[in-house]
Amino acid sequence: MQDWHSSHSETDSGAPARPLREPDESWVQPSSSRMLTNYLADVEQNLDEHRWELALRDVADLPKIAVALTDPELRSSGERCKAWCEQWVRPSNAANDSGVDHESICRVLDEKSGHAATTPSVPSLELRRLRLRRHARNAPRGFNASHAGKEGEDAAETFAICTAVVEGIRRWYAHFACHDAISQANLARLAVLR
């Protein structure tokens, strides 16, 4: 029988068990974010309907939104957005086939989002766009990648960038934000703002 309070327990195979964490008061029950889900569904719908500029605009806002959600004062900076991209955004194999790599994704996001300022500030417009998604009535219908006809090299690059960032946001939310008390509190705070 394992001792649940011991960090030096062994499994049946004799290998050391992973240490168990004591419950932390700052840990919150994971939740899904309807705002974030609807935001990503809108990006995917724009891609599905070949509205490349709208999809890229919304995707360029995502690093600012993610960084702001992890900050107690909802602030974001260019440096922190760049670090977020380096940690969470990875091009898919299909993106690599189109010649898009991690560095070009980060460069395009940086250019499109205007991360010139290194001083942290609240990305009000970006957070407002996220907040507007909370009242969406239509359930996200998902994205059909087969409809993503590549109309040219620019469309293929935009598609690859948007897909990589959407996957990065999903990864970030699943592995970090849904367990982060600050992110969950900020999402709740945005949900009640008028």
Side-chain angles (χ1 to χ4, degrees), residues 45-62:
Q45 184 173 357
N46 285 332
L47 289 173
D48 206 20
E49 296 172 1
H50 301 241
R51 292 183 288 191
W52 309 115
E53 284 303 314
L54 284 174
L56 193 56
R57 180 204 68 189
D58 285 346
V59 160
D61 290 346
L62 284 171

Side-chain angles (χ1 to χ4, degrees), residues 132-149:
L132 290 174
R133 269 48 176 223
R134 77 186 185 282
H135 292 303
R137 296 286 183 229
N138 298 334
R141 60 182 175 85
F143 175 63
N144 187 348
S146 66
H147 293 156

Side-chain angles (χ1 to χ4, degrees), residues 39 61 64-65 113 123-131:
Y39 191 100
D61 290 346
K64 286 182 184 178
I65 290 169
S113 65
S124 301
L125 180 60
E126 293 83 353
L127 291 172
R128 183 171 190 268
R129 284 186 189 135
L130 173 67
R131 209 172 63 236

Side-chain angles (χ1 to χ4, degrees), residues 40 43 47 52 55-63 84-85 88-92 94-96 98-112 150 153-169 171:
L40 297 179
V43 169
L47 289 173
W52 309 115
L56 193 56
R57 180 204 68 189
D58 285 346
V59 160
D61 290 346
L62 284 171
W84 183 90
C85 287
W88 296 104
V89 177
R90 299 176 200 110
S92 65
N96 288 334
S98 66
V100 177
D101 60 7
H102 181 268
E103 291 171 0
S104 64
I105 291 172
C106 291
R107 180 181 35 77
V108 168
L109 290 175
D110 193 45
E111 290 170 3
K112 288 286 184 185
K150 310 300 190 280
E153 191 175 312
D154 289 343
E157 181 180 352
T158 299
F159 177 79
I161 289 168
C162 291
T163 303
V165 177
V166 166
E167 290 171 1
I169 279 286
R171 215 176 0 262

Side-chain angles (χ1 to χ4, degrees), residues 79-94:
E79 291 171 0
R80 290 177 60 204
C81 288
K82 185 176 180 183
W84 183 90
C85 287
E86 289 171 358
Q87 181 175 1
W88 296 104
V89 177
R90 299 176 200 110
S92 65
N93 290 338

